[in-house]
């Protein structure tokens, strides 16, 4: 398979070519020798300055207008993306949907994009992008017998470098977009090859000027488009039609196109579609295609404030994505173990709520305030669906575990949702035990544990709490027992100073400044390097006024000098053999920041649980992590991959972690910062961001006015609602290392931090399952399993097969071995750097494991 591999076609997508009766329009001899493909579309934001209910109605109104224009103009071609809009019309107006299906069959209604919505293209997980196409393309195939082969995300504010691989995995070979514009980035030209880190390519087209137009004459739209066009191409796409709140092409639009085409004003003007344009470009042959530039980078920057606007939607989205991915895994296990039906409809409902709320004016925080009530409720529905499935499956598994009667104990089953083993601290609440509890494993061996604070405050005979170390196999469970009485006194390498300023184990030593609470040392003991030493006095918190609009238009960086929060106190909350916990409390204005440093006895990293009570308006808070590294290089996690970016302080998007690697005293050293819910980061060089050393910065919070769009000015006497007022929580991990972030496994660590294990109390009973068992193991290497689920297509009379997807996370070629004891199978294969591969594993042990694409169809053919 080549890097630019072709997927087998499902059916030829209609090109929307100009009908015969207009093919020989008489134009002046002086007509410019170029063809303008006029792309009639109606970009509709289902949510933005209006709620989704208004978008729901507007989808029907817009599509009715497009169908009426087809009745009036036999050459009119309509381009449609965002599959959710089609689904809305289908469920409310079956007659209109039948008219759409007829026009699709004629080639005049051309579906493109193939994704459920036009999402933000930086912040969702890789698996979410996979599901955008899974549900979008399968919807198109089910309703119309064809899929989209041209991608289209005209309005999102930036595009991750990994998207070409995802698009090719969904049988899409080309991509239309608008942003960043010519004034915003380093992308030259209009048409180019866009290549992802694994080597996959699509043919990219940056829409000149705009994706929508006024309702009248198209001359202005066409002139401005030509002004931004690479004219050497000859052929070009010009998008027209009333958009944002829908509407679509008007009679005046279409009449003016016909008029200017006859006049020869701009060249040949033909009603067309993106598919027709890309086909003409490819038909020019290899020499032309080889002459095009190749882009091997992401497409940024536009509105970088969106990575940090509205912290709530970012947190709700991450929680929902993790919950549904976990539920898929347990449901697939349940199908194999019990023969239960895989709850495909439930997952479709949950995923569509998640995907819808990744829309590029919801997840970026740029919609009106009431829309976030809807987003919270819809994402809450997805989480509730996932929790019901997880709880049901965990109880089905737990009741089959053989747990002999021992009335002096309370059985606990810990479930690990990750396809690799984990060794983690589990916080467990328990019933009345006035003398505390200790913990043993299934064989009765003592487990390291310590008392901790209960979440209940109902009195001495109320609830208690214990923290214990659980070692749980890959995508599996392990049985533990609580026994009455305190844990035995145990010595470990863990220590914490009386004042809380030093935490230490055999791997790391953490030191806080007693005067400021700042982290001033993070010693990596194995190498003797400390990436933080020598940074005392460099800013750790920076609060400053933020005059930028909700989107952060025209912002290059938020790494601005700012005021430091002041230390209130440092408190030692836990000091035991398993874990130390130190609480650092700070304040500024009306706001409070609480950081709880947690260090386990054998951890190579320190965890920081953050609670921020933010009460400032039109201000932002940067959390900074200064490092004393020479010649640093920055690596960011992106969906299904990583990317290196300049150390220049620019505000950049990241998934869950950023690394800065250089040297200390000539020895390689680095710091990786992992964060659960934040996507706006910078890596600033020495001498910037208010410090004389390099630093990693996280935009922890911004508080602009909702849906405030530059260039409108705010009224000094106006009454406005500001974002992110109140309490929010997130978690960090700070991982020092000896110069290679790969050894720290940050992608896996981020996943475990974001999706912790689940523990439940259990009863005594006989059973056919062992006390410890794992169901799928990816080997903990560079290749990480990202999804285990039931297949979308189910063999007749049989349960769903397993779908297993994995991605190479180190940026290197690798050989993978994925063990599936659940079905007694093994997947082996080679992976290119950052390559994503998907496998269909039949439950029949005699049936062959087949590699499939992201639509779960075989690579060498159509759907099964």
């Amino acid at each position: 398979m080549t890097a630019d591999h072709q997927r087998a076609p499902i059916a030829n997508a209609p090109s929307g070519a100009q009908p015969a009766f207009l093919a020989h329009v008489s134009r002046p001899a002086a007509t410019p020798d170029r063809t303008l493909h006029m792309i009639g579309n109606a970009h509709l934001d289902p949510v933005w300055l209006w709620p989704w209910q208004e978008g729901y109605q507007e989808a029907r109104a817009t599509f009715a207008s497009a169908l009426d224009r087809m009745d009036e103009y036999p050459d009119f071609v309509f381009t449609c993306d965002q599959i959710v809009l089609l689904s809305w019309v289908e469920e409310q107006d079956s007659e209109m949907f039948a008219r759409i299906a007829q026009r699709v069959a004629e080639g005049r209604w051309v579906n493109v994009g193939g994704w459920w919505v036009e999402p933000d293209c930086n912040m969702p997980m890789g698996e979410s992008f996979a599901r955008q196409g899974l549900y979008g393309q399968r919807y198109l195939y089910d309703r119309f017998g064809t899929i989209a082969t041209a991608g289209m995300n005209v309005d999102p504010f930036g595009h991750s470098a990994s998207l070409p691989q995802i698009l090719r995995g969904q049988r899409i070979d080309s991509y239309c977009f608008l942003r960043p514009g010519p004034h915003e980035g380093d992308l030259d030209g209009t048409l180019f090859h866009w290549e992802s880190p694994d080597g996959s390519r699509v043919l990219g087209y940056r829409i000149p000027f705009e994706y929508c137009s006024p309702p009248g004459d198209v001359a202005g739209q066409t002139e401005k488009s030509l002004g931004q066009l690479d004219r050497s191409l000859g052929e070009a796409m010009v998008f027209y039609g009333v958009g944002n709140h829908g509407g679509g092409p008007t009679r005046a639009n279409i009449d003016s196109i016909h008029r200017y085409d006859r006049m020869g004003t701009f060249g040949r003007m033909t009603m067309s579609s993106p598919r027709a344009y890309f086909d003409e470009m490819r038909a020019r042959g290899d020499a032309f295609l080889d002459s095009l530039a190749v882009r091997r980078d992401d497409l940024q920057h536009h509105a970088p404030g969106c990575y940090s606007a509205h912290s709530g939607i970012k947190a709700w989205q991450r929680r929902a994505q993790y919950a549904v991915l976990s539920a898929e895994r347990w449901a697939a296990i349940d199908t194999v173990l019990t023969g239960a039906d895989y709850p495909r409809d439930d997952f479709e409902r949950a995923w569509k709520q998640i995907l819808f709320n990744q829309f590029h004016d919801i997840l970026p925080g740029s919609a009106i305030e009431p829309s976030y009530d809807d987003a919270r409720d819809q994402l809450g529905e997805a989480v509730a669906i996932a929790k019901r499935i997880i709880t049901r499956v965990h109880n089905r598994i737990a009741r089959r575990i053989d747990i002999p009667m021992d009335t002096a104990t309370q059985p606990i089953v810990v479930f690990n949702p990750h396809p690799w083993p984990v060794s983690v601290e589990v916080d467990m609440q328990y019933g009345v035990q006035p003398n505390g509890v200790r913990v043993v494993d299934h064989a009765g061996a003592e487990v390291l544990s310590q008392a901790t604070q209960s979440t209940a405050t109902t009195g001495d005979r109320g609830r208690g709490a214990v923290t214990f170390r659980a070692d749980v196999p890959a995508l599996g469970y392990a049985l533990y027992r609580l026994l009455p009485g305190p844990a035995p006194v145990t010595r470990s390498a863990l220590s914490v100073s009386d004042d809380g300023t030093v935490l230490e184990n055999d791997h790391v030593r953490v030191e806080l400044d007693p005067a400021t609470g700042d982290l001033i040392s993070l010693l990596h003991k194995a190498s003797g390097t400390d990436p933080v030493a020598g940074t005392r006095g460099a800013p750790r918190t920076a609060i400053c006024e933020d005059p930028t609009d909700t989107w952060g238009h025209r912002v290059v960086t938020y790494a601005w000098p700012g005021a430091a929060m002041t230390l209130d106190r440092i408190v030692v909350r836990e000091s035991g053999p398993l874990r130390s916990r130190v609480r650092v409390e700070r304040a500024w204005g009306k706001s409070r920041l609480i950081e709880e440093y947690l260090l386990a006895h054998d951890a190579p990293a320190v965890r920081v649980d953050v609670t921020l009570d933010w009460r400032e308006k039109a201000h932002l808070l940067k959390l900074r992590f200064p490092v004393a590294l020479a010649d640093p290089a920055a690596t960011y996690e992106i969906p299904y991959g990583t990317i290196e970016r300049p150390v220049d302080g620019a505000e950049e998007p990241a998934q869950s972690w950023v690394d800065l690697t250089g040297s200390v005293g000539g020895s390689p050293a680095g710091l990786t910062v992992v964060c659960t819910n934040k996507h706006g980061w910078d890596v600033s060089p020495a001498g910037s961001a208010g410090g004389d050393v390099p630093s990693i910065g996280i935009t922890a919070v911004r508080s602009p006015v909702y849906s405030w769009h530059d260039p409108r000015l705010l009224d000094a006497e106006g009454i406005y609602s500001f974002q992110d007022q109140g309490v929010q929580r997130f978690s960090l991990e700070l991982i020092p290392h000896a110069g290679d972030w790969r050894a720290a496994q940050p992608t896996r660590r981020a996943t475990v931090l974001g999706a912790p294990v689940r523990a439940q109390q259990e009863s005594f009973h006989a059973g056919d399952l062992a006390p410890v068992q794992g169901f799928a193991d990816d080997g903990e290497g560079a290749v990480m399993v990202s999804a285990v689920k039931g297949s979308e297509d189910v063999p007749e009379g049989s349960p769903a097969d397993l779908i297993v997807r994995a991605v190479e996370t180190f940026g290197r070629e690798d050989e993978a071995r994925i063990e599936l004891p659940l079905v007694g199978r093994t997947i082996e294969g080679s992976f290119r750097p950052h390559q994503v591969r998907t496998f269909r594993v039949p439950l029949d042990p005699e049936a062959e494991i087949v590699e499939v694409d992201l639509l779960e169809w075989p690579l060498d053919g159509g759907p099964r």
Side-chain angles (χ1 to χ4, degrees), residues 111-174:
N111 291 310
V112 298
W115 286 7
W116 198 244
V117 296
E118 287 191 14
D120 176 87
C121 290
N122 281 307
M123 291 182 280
M125 297 178 185
E127 279 300 312
S128 285
F129 289 111
R131 308 315 167 92
Q132 287 283 353
L134 179 74
Y135 290 110
Q137 293 282 58
R138 280 176 165 267
Y139 179 94
L140 292 177
Y141 184 75
D142 182 67
R143 270 60 169 190
F144 306 119
T146 62
I147 62 172
T149 55
M152 191 160 116
N153 277 311
V154 300
D155 202 17
F157 311 140
H159 308 261
S160 169
S162 53
L163 292 190
Q165 178 180 194
I166 295 167
L167 293 164
R168 293 309 297 258
Q170 296 163 347
R171 309 194 178 199
I172 293 171
D173 63 11
S174 47

Side-chain angles (χ1 to χ4, degrees), residues 467-551:
T467 296
F468 68 94
R469 171 57 60 85
D471 295 296
V472 193
L475 191 51
Y477 64 86
L479 175 65
Y480 292 88
R481 293 175 185 258
L482 305 183
L483 283 70
V489 177
T490 304
R491 292 186 177 274
S492 74
L494 182 64
S495 65
V496 58
S497 64
D498 292 341
D499 65 357
T501 59
V502 178
L503 302 87
E504 186 171 4
N505 63 20
D506 283 340
H507 302 285
V508 295
R509 181 181 184 276
V510 182
E511 184 177 354
L512 307 177
D513 186 330
T516 64
D518 292 344
L519 177 68
I520 56 174
S521 177
L522 186 56
L523 177 65
H524 182 255
K525 291 187 174 182
S527 66
T529 59
D530 186 342
V532 178
T535 64
R536 187 190 296 265
R540 266 67 173 187
T541 56
I543 296 177
C544 59
E545 290 188 19
D546 177 14
T548 65
D549 70 1
T550 315
W551 285 257

Side-chain angles (χ1 to χ4, degrees), residues 194-217:
W194 189 21
E195 183 176 301
S196 61
D198 81 306
S200 299
R201 285 185 179 182
V202 294
L203 198 55
Y205 184 88
R206 178 163 62 190
I207 298 167
F209 180 56
E210 261 292 358
Y211 52 79
C212 59
S213 70
D217 192 300

